[in-house]
């Protein structure tokens, strides 16, 4: 099952929501991210691929201003996250890998807490909490303590939490890792609908290729800190596997890049 | 940060408040009743409620010794619990300044400490008034207030220590043990060590016969100097002076000639509040300083930490 991938029916406004130029991060002598140049447009679903330890999370942290780049420039929703992390975090959601919650509170209390941290008055947030719980399909279970939630439910609650601040852009770090097939499908459907119905730009990192292939407009492949390829999946397929091949998978393309690197 | 109030921990602390308050008040109240039988009302009897030891220990001793545990109890897992449950990375990605996390942790802890102490003191006062039938005068209330503020700062220092460890150590067990180790070090080993060191530098014979007074003074001085490094000594010195107007110095040993003895005996009246304050101002300032310093280190450690290590 594939959703429409590629540029065809995607509304492309050429307004960049993320721009990175020569972005580099070193930990001591080790280079985590090397000279990254990247432009993500509004409304896109961008898949950020790479093996574990390729520098995907570091890149996301730099986009959020949680880690300072060693050199290079970034602009996220028009702000420099290093200098002005506050404005970036106001309108950008981030779902970390294996997100945690306050297990002794129920879902609604968790969301309420995040809403307060975002300075959203309770009157407004009540409606938003209900709405985002409905979007992720947890409205019925909202009164239960989060401690008894399944992994899939927690991950969806994480999305609900991100939606509270009505973001323009969401970073999802390995959103489907450790989920069962059903949970994975629900998660992917959810991400897809966020992009289509709420017009939220999505930047997701993953190493699970078939899933990325299903929902992403464009992908970037990162190996050992270098962005080795970027573009719509068809385009990369043409470039790497030869034209007119219909039954390619992202995995084939990826493995080709991986062997070359 | 509101979570101090809704947890099992808070229940435990409330139980502690009630227990300590009731036990101390009744114990000390009884013994004061017995002691003061047939006596004319002594001055500042009310403060005895807090300083008199009754059968076991006084309230002041209790807070001096176990107060640090309250601070450690409230802070040892404040940061690393958020780390372990993976909520810290979520918190820092919200539009709040990073220092407000650590500030809130500290201030929430201080607020709880303040509530605990005020509650205990109120319980003791209430029960005490019933038992001994003495109403505190304004000076006594002031002394009590200063005592409370000092105690809050003192416990806040321990809170700072434990938060610091919770920033530095990844596991909550390690940070709890490290905080306890510091507590044990200061409560037992510093005073022991002070004694040893003083013996080594200025030896005096144990029999006490033929002691060179010069040597004795030196011995005492060294011992005091070292034990003042312990926040516990600072605190107990300061609070006993504040709560006991009859005491005029923090020195435990004064060499007196007949003339000093005479002049001292002519001033048997309690010290006025201001004079008591003057004696302990250096102690109070030191307590404030170590508390601020401790929180400052904590703050820096937290702000400089890579979020990546979450």
């Amino acid at each position: 099952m594939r959703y429409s991938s590629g540029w065809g029916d995607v509304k492309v406004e050429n307004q960049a929501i993320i721009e990175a130029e020569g972005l580099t991060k070193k930990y001591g002598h080790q280079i985590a991210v090397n000279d990254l140049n990247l432009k993500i447009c509004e409304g896109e679903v961008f898949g950020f691929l790479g093996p574990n330890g390729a520098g995907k999370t570091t890149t996301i942290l730099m986009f959020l201003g949680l880690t300072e780049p060693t050199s290079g420039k970034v602009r996220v929703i028009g702000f420099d996250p290093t200098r002005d992390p506050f404005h970036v975090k106001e309108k950008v959601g981030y779902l970390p890998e294996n997100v945690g919650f306050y297990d002794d509170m129920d879902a609604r209390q968790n969301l309420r807490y995040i809403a307060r941290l975002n300075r959203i008055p309770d009157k407004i947030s009540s409606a938003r909490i209900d709405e985002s719980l409905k979007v992720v399909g947890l409205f019925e279970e909202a009164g239960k303590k989060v401690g008894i939630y399944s992994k899939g439910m927690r991950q969806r609650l994480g999305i609900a939490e991100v939606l509270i601040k009505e973001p323009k852009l969401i970073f999802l770090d390995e959103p489907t890792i450790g989920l069962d097939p059903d949970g994975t499908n629900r998660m992917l459907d959810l991400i897809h609908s966020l992009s289509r119905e709420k017009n939220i730009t999505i930047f997701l990192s993953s190493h699970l290729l078939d899933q990325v292939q299903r929902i992403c407009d464009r992908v970037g492949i990162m190996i050992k800190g270098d962005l080795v390829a970027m573009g719509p999946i068809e385009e990369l397929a043409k470039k790497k596997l030869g034209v007119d091949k219909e039954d390619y998978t992202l995995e084939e393309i990826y493995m080709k890049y991986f062997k070359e690197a | 940060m509101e979570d101090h109030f809704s947890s099992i921990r808070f229940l435990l602390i409330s139980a502690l408040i009630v227990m300590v308050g009731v036990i101390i008040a009744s114990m000390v109240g009884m013994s004061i009743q017995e002691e003061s039988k047939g006596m004319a009302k002594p001055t500042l009897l009310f403060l005895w409620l807090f300083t008199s030891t009754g059968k076991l220990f006084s309230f002041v001793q209790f807070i001096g010794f176990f107060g640090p545990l309250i601070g450690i109890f409230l802070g040892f897992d404040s940061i690393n619990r958020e780390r372990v449950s993976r909520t810290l990375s979520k918190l820092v990605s919200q539009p709040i300044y990073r220092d407000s996390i650590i500030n809130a942790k500290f201030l929430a802890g201080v607020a709880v400490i303040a509530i605990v102490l005020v509650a205990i003191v109120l319980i003791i006062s209430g029960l005490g008034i019933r038992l001994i039938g003495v109403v505190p005068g304004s000076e006594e209330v002031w002394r009590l207030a200063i005592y409370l503020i000092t105690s809050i700062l003192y416990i806040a220092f321990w809170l700072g220590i434990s938060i610091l460890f919770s920033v530095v150590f990844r596991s909550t067990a390690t940070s709890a043990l490290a905080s306890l180790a510091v507590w044990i070090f200061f409560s037992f080993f510093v005073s022991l060590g002070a004694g040893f060191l003083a013996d080594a530098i200025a030896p005096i014979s144990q029999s006490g016969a033929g002691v060179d007074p010069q040597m004795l003074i030196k011995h005492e001085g060294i011992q005091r100097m070292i034990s003042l490094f312990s926040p516990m000594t600072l605190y107990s010195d300061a609070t006993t002076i504040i709560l006991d107007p009859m005491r005029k110095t923090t020195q435990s040993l004064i060499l007196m000639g007949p003339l000093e003895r005479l002049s001292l005996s002519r001033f048997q009246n309690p010290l006025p509040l201001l004079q008591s304050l003057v004696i302990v101002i250096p102690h109070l300032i030191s307590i404030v300083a170590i508390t601020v310093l401790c929180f400052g280190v904590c703050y820096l450690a937290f702000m400089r930490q890579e979020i990546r290590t979450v």
Side-chain angles (χ1 to χ4, degrees), chain B residues 9-116:
Chain B
R9 201 178 300 215
F10 189 68
L11 272 180
L12 281 174
I13 290 183
S14 318
L16 181 90
I17 298 174
V18 176
M19 226 169 58
V20 170
V22 171
I23 290 177
I24 289 190
S26 51
M27 189 174 73
V28 173
M30 304 282 195
S31 70
I32 290 181
Q33 259 180 343
E34 261 164 43
E35 280 168 26
S36 57
K37 237 174 224 163
M39 268 162 65
K41 182 198 169 224
T43 40
L44 303 170
L45 177 67
F46 185 73
L47 290 178
W48 280 19
L49 274 176
F50 300 94
T51 52
S52 140
T53 48
K55 283 198 186 66
L56 291 170
F57 49 80
S58 73
F59 173 66
V60 174
Q61 284 168 348
F62 178 82
I63 293 296
F65 195 69
F66 289 109
L69 280 186
I70 301 180
I72 290 171
F73 192 51
L74 286 173
F76 75 92
D77 64 348
S78 54
I79 298 294
N80 51 16
R81 188 167 49 115
E82 303 257 7
R83 227 182 259 284
V84 169
S85 67
R86 293 176 176 277
T87 45
L88 188 61
S89 54
K90 195 172 73 182
L91 280 186
V92 293
S93 66
Q94 303 304 327
I96 47 172
Y97 292 105
R98 193 158 158 190
D99 53 352
S100 52
I101 296 175
I102 189 106
N103 292 347
K105 289 281 181 201
F106 190 70
L107 288 180
V110 172
V112 173
I113 292 168
I115 292 170
V116 168

Side-chain angles (χ1 to χ4, degrees), chain A residues 27-159:
Chain A
Y27 289 106
H29 287 292
Q30 205 187 343
I31 298 174
V33 177
N34 185 23
D35 193 26
L36 177 71
N37 295 298
L38 187 73
K39 191 175 160 193
I40 309 289
C41 297
E42 232 168 78
E44 252 190 292
V45 178
F46 185 82
F48 201 41
L49 311 176
N52 294 330
K56 297 180 307 246
T57 306
T58 310
T59 308
I60 293 179
L61 291 180
M62 282 194 285
F63 287 161
L64 280 162
L66 295 179
T67 288
E68 239 175 85
T70 313
S71 63
K73 272 189 264 177
V74 209
R75 284 193 95 69
V76 175
I77 60 164
F79 298 102
D80 178 351
T82 318
R83 295 240 184 99
D84 201 357
F86 204 92
H87 282 106
V88 172
K89 290 179 199 165
E90 245 171 4
K91 279 289 156 203
V92 175
Y94 169 46
L95 181 65
E97 190 181 340
N98 289 322
V99 65
F101 299 94
Y102 298 99
D103 286 345
D104 48 353
M105 298 201 273
D106 67 31
R108 226 179 234 115
Q109 286 166 331
N110 266 291
L111 297 186
R112 175 61 52 87
Y113 180 57
I114 293 297
R116 286 190 182 150
L117 288 180
N118 281 282
R119 290 180 192 71
I120 301 167
D122 284 359
K123 268 187 199 163
I124 301 174
S125 70
S126 297
R128 275 197 208 171
I129 288 170
D130 284 350
E131 198 208 316
S132 44
L133 281 172
K134 275 177 197 155
V135 169
V136 300
L138 286 173
F139 190 71
E140 312 291 317
E141 273 101 346
K144 290 184 190 159
K145 295 243 187 287
V146 179
I148 61 167
Y149 273 28
S150 71
K151 177 102 208 222
M153 287 160 83
R154 289 171 81 89
Q155 211 64 11
R156 277 183 285 141
L157 182 60
I159 297 270

Side-chain angles (χ1 to χ4, degrees), chain B residues 145-170:
Chain B
I146 294 171
Y147 166 74
L148 268 177
I149 293 169
T150 317
S151 307
I152 291 168
L153 279 170
Y154 170 65
I155 299 182
F157 163 74
W158 288 99
L159 177 71
I161 291 266
S162 64
I163 292 183
L164 176 64
F165 284 132
S166 85
V167 171
V168 175
F169 295 117
R170 206 69 75 76

Side-chain angles (χ1 to χ4, degrees), chain B residues 215-284:
Chain B
M215 212 53 161
L216 193 61
I217 289 180
K218 204 176 162 197
H219 183 272
E220 272 301 304
I222 292 167
Q223 190 162 2
R224 265 190 61 75
M225 206 178 72
I226 295 168
S227 58
L228 271 182
F229 275 106
S230 157
M232 278 165 184
T233 319
L234 274 180
Y235 170 78
S236 59
D237 279 3
T239 47
T240 40
I241 294 281
I242 283 293
L243 284 182
D244 186 358
M246 303 305 281
R247 293 192 50 169
K248 299 179 175 72
T249 169
T250 58
Q251 238 90 1
S252 56
L253 177 121
I254 323 165
L255 285 182
M256 285 192 296
L259 271 180
E260 283 100 332
R261 218 178 294 252
L262 188 69
S263 73
L264 206 66
S265 66
R266 287 164 72 188
F267 299 106
Q268 273 299 348
N269 289 327
L271 275 184
L273 173 60
L274 266 183
Q275 292 306 310
S276 294
L277 258 185
V278 166
I279 297 174
V280 295
I281 271 291
H283 294 73
L284 295 186

